[in-house]
Amino acid sequence: MAAKPFDWPDFLTLAEELAARPEEHCLRTAIGRAYYYAYHLARQRVVDNEFVITKFEDSHKQVWEKFNNSPEYSCKKLYDLAKILKDKRQQADYNAIFPRIEDEFPGIITTAKKFAADLNALDKRLPVNRGVRA
């Protein structure tokens, strides 16, 4: 049986399920899954626009720079949403103490959903200009 591609929205579903639990490890993991949901949607968009993500460089940085460096205001706003999610994910992954982590929800989920909706509303050619490489 051939493997089928992973459905990235499943990460958001898992994030919502984990955010409903009170344990800190579930909340930390929910933050990570919400971030990766947004990241993979954004990554697919830049790849669909013929941007080549190079090996041996931080793929997250490459993807987010495409949004941040875009001349389109809507892309910069997407970058801002992604930055919020990424900062929270790094805090959840690397900080031993995450004060009031339970207060991050439902805001994290809302931010991830807004990112997806705003990305979907963009012209499919954005944010990457064809032929331009990072």
Side-chain angles (χ1 to χ4, degrees):
M1 179 176 185
K4 73 179 211 181
F6 183 72
D7 188 16
W8 299 114
D10 286 347
F11 271 172
L12 185 62
T13 302
L14 179 59
E16 291 175 311
E17 291 170 6
L18 290 169
R21 295 180 53 179
E23 300 94 349
E24 184 172 348
H25 62 277
C26 292
L27 298 175
R28 286 175 180 261
T29 303
I31 291 170
R33 295 308 87 192
Y35 167 75
Y36 279 106
Y37 164 68
Y39 165 74
H40 282 288
L41 294 177
R43 185 182 191 283
Q44 190 61 53
R45 176 61 65 92
V46 298
V47 167
D48 287 348
N49 279 276
E50 300 178 3
F51 176 70
V52 177
I53 296 174
T54 60
K55 291 183 180 183
F56 312 114
E57 289 185 43
D58 183 342
S59 63
H60 296 251
K61 181 179 178 189
Q62 291 177 68
V63 168
W64 298 131
E65 282 181 351
K66 294 307 291 182
F67 284 84
N68 192 37
N69 295 334
S70 173
E72 299 293 328
Y73 177 76
S74 53
C75 291
K76 292 180 184 303
K77 295 305 289 179
L78 282 165
Y79 170 81
D80 291 342
L81 292 173
K83 184 161 178 17
I84 291 166
L85 292 170
K86 186 175 183 185
D87 289 348
K88 294 297 182 182
R89 194 233 1 128
Q90 288 175 325
Q91 186 177 2
D93 285 350
Y94 300 115
N95 293 2
I97 297 173
F98 193 136
R100 298 182 310 280
I101 190 172
E102 64 280 354
D103 294 341
E104 298 296 331
F105 298 94
I108 293 288
I109 302 299
T110 300
T111 301
K113 287 180 177 180
K114 179 166 178 40
F115 181 92
D118 291 355
L119 180 66
N120 193 48
L122 281 180
D123 182 313
K124 297 296 182 201
R125 293 173 305 217
L126 297 174
V128 180
N129 295 323
R130 292 192 185 279
V132 176
R133 302 287 186 241

